[in-house]
Amino acid sequence: MPVQDPIGPELTLAPSSARPSAPRLAALPPAALPELLSTVAALPYRDYIVVAAGALGAAIWVKIFNVLATNGTLEQKLSRKLVHTTTGPLFVLTWILFSAAPSAKFLAAAVPLANFLRLFSVGTGLVNDPGLVKSVSRSGDRGELLKGPLYYVITLIAATILCWRDNPAGLIAVAMMCGGDGLADIVGRRWGGGAKLPYNNAKSWAGSAAMFLGGYLLSYGLIVLFCSLGFFTCYPASAMLSCLGGIALAATVVESLPINQWVDDNVSVPVVAAVLSMLLLPQPAEAAAGVAAAAAAAAAATVVAAPAAVEIASVAAAARVL
Ligand SMILES: C/C(=C\COP(=O)(O)O)CCC[C@H](C)CCC[C@H](C)CCCC(C)C
Ligand SMILES: Nc1ccn([C@@H]2O[C@H](COP(=O)(O)OP(=O)(O)O)[C@@H](O)[C@H]2O)c(=O)n1
């Protein structure tokens, strides 16, 4: 069972002495973050304010890239890929601001849902918005909004509702789609020219290397942040290295295949990443049990008996909470 509301006013992060330390990553959010979180937690209608801020933030963010593309500061394709790379991670970062209410994930999903409706109405021509078409299409054709961008927001909706913040599979899926696939294009177009993949002439080794590294590092960062805030148990470094590495490699291979005309990579990459995360990463309950066992073993090896007993008791209590 997930922790109730690790950032709510009624329940704060457990003191570090009460949390298992040996097998988990030493990960604490930056000092300013808990302050911001407790300010947000004290707001009346907190979840609704976060949704409104997220929707406004999305519109402003896309507009900024539209302006940069229009005035020539950024090339259109780069601007579009920067929107692709940044909006998903910024969106999942807003998850930490929501309360523990069961309705929170549905409210959070309203932000990508609003963007779905916007893309759909502009893509089908119901609404005229040349700025949005310029920001998120390759060629200026509004019909393109109904492909990659629409799948992208559908994936964000699915990750929010199906995984929310107590299951790292959602974070990993979004990280592979944004940090991975987004960076593959940015790097591949610039530095991939000479060395194309033997089985796909449209993609390069440089693009795939960027996909692997970008997806891995973004997943790693998001998992460390969310687990250090108490949304799920932190994983041992070995799991972070091997499981996350395997997932990033599989997502990279899927992205590199010449299958985009059958399945959009904003669907294939996150689906493969989420399924493998469920299969390879210890699920929250297993991870808690593993952490408790390792911490108990470490405590047993400690010469001073009393602090060890306290540590074991607190770890066992933490495992029961999770
Ligand atoms: C350009 C996009 C996808 C194209 O994919 P591909 O064809 O290159 O593979 C991304 C489109 C993003 C969309 C217009 C805006 C999404 C906003 C998001 C749901 C919320 C962000 C909130 C945050 C606070 C900025
Ligand atoms: N693994 C990759 C992926 C993309 N790329 C580069 O990025 C461009 C766009 O990639 P893509 O067709 O996957 O683009 P999207 O469908 O993700 O927008 C390719 O034409 C390559 O120049 C690459 O070099 N290596």
Side-chain angles (χ1 to χ4, degrees), residues 50 53-62 79-92 94 108-109 111-116 118-119 132 135-138 144-145 147-153 156-157 177 181-182 185 260 264-266:
V50 177
L56 185 67
I60 293 174
W61 196 247
V62 174
S79 158
R80 177 174 167 279
K81 273 297 162 180
L82 287 173
V83 171
H84 179 126
T85 307
T86 55
T87 48
L90 285 173
F91 170 62
V92 296
T94 67
V111 176
L113 182 63
N115 281 276
F116 174 94
R118 193 176 170 212
L119 289 166
L132 181 67
S135 315
V136 300
S137 72
R138 287 187 190 88
E144 272 187 44
L145 272 54
K147 297 176 186 161
L150 207 65
Y151 291 122
Y152 181 97
V153 293
L156 293 182
I157 295 170
M177 175 175 79
D181 185 27
D185 177 298
N260 230 17
D264 192 277
D265 51 15
N266 292 326

Side-chain angles (χ1 to χ4, degrees), residues 212-302:
F212 176 81
L213 275 178
Y216 180 86
L217 292 175
L218 186 59
S219 317
Y220 189 100
L222 288 174
I223 289 179
V224 166
L225 176 71
F226 276 67
C227 84
S228 66
L229 286 170
F231 291 115
F232 47 80
T233 307
C234 289
Y235 292 102
S238 57
M240 291 289 273
L241 211 68
S242 56
C243 300
L244 220 47
I247 296 165
L249 187 62
T252 301
V253 170
V254 168
E255 193 277 340
S256 73
L257 299 173
I259 54 170
N260 230 17
Q261 64 269 45
W262 296 292
V263 49
D264 192 277
D265 51 15
N266 292 326
V267 174
S268 57
V269 166
V271 165
V272 165
V275 170
L276 285 180
S277 304
M278 307 271 213
L279 295 175
L280 296 181
L281 270 179
Q283 288 307 292
E286 296 164 38
V291 167
T302 311

Side-chain angles (χ1 to χ4, degrees), residues 4 11 43 46 48 73 118 130 165 186 198 214-215 219 222 241 252 259 268 299 308 312 319:
Q4 283 305 301
L11 183 61
L43 290 173
R46 161 190 181 176
Y48 295 94
T73 308
R118 193 176 170 212
R165 54 195 185 185
I186 294 172
S219 317
L222 288 174
L241 211 68
T252 301
I259 54 170
S268 57
I312 292 167

Side-chain angles (χ1 to χ4, degrees), residues 13-24:
L13 282 176
S16 55
S17 60
R19 282 184 261 143
S21 54
R24 54 179 285 168

